[in-house]
């Protein structure tokens, strides 16, 4: 495991480095809204659903002997709710600006010690149907090794809301139910394939890294609803497994959480 990247993964569990930069965000939005490239992007990208478009509002790249960076910033248009649309687009711009500034700080430190740093960020549409749009935003950092993190926004296109994990359930009992099911999947996968390793307690086994063992998801756990209407829980690289496992995801069977759901409007 690359120690630098692993340390940064653990730090990211408790500290959010994607802080709000309101004034800078306003300037960025103004630039985007007057950009010919933005207007061209809106005309070129296929419509998602009846109204939605997801467009690239910024596509930035630079490279030299020690560093390499590529960043794509998404934007949502034709949502039908101007306030929510602006909030989401402001968030994407602000987060990528902060990501860039953090990277440049690391580059400055690198020049003193030598080495190579890389950063690649972008987005993908995971789910798009009549009601839901799920947008995945990813960041891959390179520093001798690599580490990937992902964030998801699942948007109800009909009711114009961003769905949160707690909003899907009647109460907080879903946390232990989902956590227990993930632990079960981890153990089953390791039993079936010795090449798979998760940091999870094993019956009658001495834990190798007890401080890193997976115990529970959080209310802010990264998740999405896939095209089949199933809940998927996502963990960033190094969160619950060694780096070679990459980003790991667990599809939760609907029958395992059916009694805990507020409704089956989203989870089928």
């Amino acid at each position: 495991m690359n120690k630098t990247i692993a340390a940064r993964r653990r730090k990211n569990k408790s500290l959010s480095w994607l802080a709000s930069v309101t004034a800078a965000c306003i300037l960025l939005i103004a630039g985007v809204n007057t950009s010919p490239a933005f207007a061209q992007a809106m005309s070129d990208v296929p419509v998602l659903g009846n109204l939605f478009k997801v467009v690239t509002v910024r596509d930035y790249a630079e490279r030299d002997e020690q560093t390499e960076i590529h960043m794509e910033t998404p934007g949502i248009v034709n949502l039908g709710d101007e306030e929510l649309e602006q909030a989401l687009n402001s968030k994407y711009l602000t987060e990528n600006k902060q990501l860039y500034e953090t990277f440049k700080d690391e580059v400055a430190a690198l020049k003193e010690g030598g080495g190579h740093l890389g950063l690649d960020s972008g987005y993908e549409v995971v789910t798009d149907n009549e009601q839901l749009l799920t947008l995945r935003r990813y960041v891959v950092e390179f520093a001798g090794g690599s580490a990937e993190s992902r964030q998801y926004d699942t948007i109800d296109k009909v009711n114009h809301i961003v769905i949160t994990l707690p909003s899907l359930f009647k109460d907080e009992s879903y946390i232990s139910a989902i956590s227990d099911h993930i632990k079960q999947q981890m153990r089953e996968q390791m039993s079936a394939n010795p090449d798979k390793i998760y940091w999870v307690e094993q019956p009658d086994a001495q834990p190798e890294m007890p401080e890193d063992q997976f115990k529970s998801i959080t209310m802010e756990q990264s998740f999405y609803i896939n095209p089949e209407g199933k809940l998927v829980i996502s963990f960033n690289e190094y969160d619950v497994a060694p780096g070679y496992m990459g980003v790991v995801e667990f599809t939760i069977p609907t029958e395992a959480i059916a009694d805990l759901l507020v409704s089956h409007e989203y989870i089928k």
Side-chain angles (χ1 to χ4, degrees):
M1 179 189 302
N2 183 285
K3 294 182 179 178
T4 301
I5 294 176
R8 288 161 68 185
R9 290 275 68 78
R10 295 191 181 98
K11 182 178 180 182
N12 285 346
K13 292 181 182 180
S14 58
L15 297 177
S16 174
W17 47 267
L18 296 176
S20 175
V21 190
T22 305
C25 184
I26 292 172
L27 293 175
L28 280 169
I29 294 171
V32 167
N33 288 339
T34 58
S35 169
F38 177 73
Q40 181 63 42
M42 288 197 298
S43 64
D44 290 345
V45 176
V47 174
L48 299 172
N50 294 325
L51 297 173
F52 265 5
K53 285 184 180 180
V54 178
V55 302
T56 300
V57 297
R58 287 176 65 88
D59 191 345
Y60 178 80
E62 66 177 66
R63 183 175 184 177
D64 59 31
E65 292 182 356
Q66 286 187 296
T67 62
E68 183 175 356
I69 182 170
H70 178 233
M71 302 179 70
E72 286 185 325
T73 303
I76 292 175
V77 296
N78 296 331
L79 174 57
D81 184 317
E82 185 176 350
E83 184 177 356
L84 178 57
E85 183 178 305
Q86 289 183 353
L88 288 168
N89 291 339
S90 295
K91 179 178 74 166
Y92 301 149
L93 287 162
T94 300
E95 289 182 349
N96 265 11
K97 183 178 187 301
Q98 184 63 34
L99 179 63
Y100 176 80
E101 291 179 346
T102 300
F103 179 77
K104 297 305 285 187
D105 288 343
E106 294 173 349
V107 169
L110 172 70
K111 290 181 178 179
E112 298 179 1
H116 184 86
L117 286 179
L119 175 69
D120 179 31
S121 74
Y123 66 92
E124 301 166 339
V125 174
V126 178
T127 300
D128 173 40
N129 55 41
E130 291 184 359
Q131 184 165 31
L132 296 180
L133 172 74
T134 295
L135 184 66
R136 173 195 291 142
R137 293 172 295 127
Y138 62 85
V139 176
V140 182
E141 300 170 89
F142 306 91
S146 66
E148 182 177 358
S149 59
R150 297 177 182 176
Q151 297 183 75
Y152 295 86
D153 284 318
T154 297
I155 303 164
D156 182 334
K157 299 189 290 187
V158 177
N159 298 301
H160 301 149
I161 58 175
V162 177
I163 300 168
T164 65
L165 190 59
S167 72
L168 296 171
F169 297 95
K170 299 173 183 176
D171 54 44
E172 295 181 10
S173 60
Y174 74 90
I175 294 177
S176 58
I178 292 176
S179 299
D180 290 344
H181 203 280
I182 289 173
K183 292 174 186 177
Q184 177 184 336
Q185 288 194 42
M186 288 177 170
R187 295 181 183 116
E188 289 174 351
Q189 289 183 30
M190 288 192 295
S191 177
N193 185 349
D195 292 331
K196 289 192 173 184
I197 295 177
Y198 294 104
W199 297 325
V200 62
E201 183 179 1
Q202 290 276 51
D204 304 321
Q206 184 69 27
E208 295 182 4
M209 302 178 68
E211 72 280 4
D212 287 324
Q213 280 192 348
F214 169 67
K215 296 179 176 60
S216 176
I217 64 169
T218 69
M219 295 178 68
E220 295 78 30
Q221 186 68 48
S222 186
F223 80 98
Y224 64 94
I225 299 171
N226 69 18
E228 290 72 41
K230 304 302 180 183
L231 177 65
V232 181
I233 301 296
S234 178
F235 294 94
N236 293 334
E237 199 167 343
Y238 294 108
D239 276 357
V240 296
Y244 76 87
M245 293 280 288
V247 171
V248 293
E249 298 181 340
F250 299 90
T251 301
I252 309 302
T254 301
E255 57 267 25
I257 55 175
D259 293 340
L260 307 176
L261 292 167
V262 172
S263 74
H264 287 273
E265 182 175 7
Y266 303 128
I267 307 297
K268 311 299 183 184

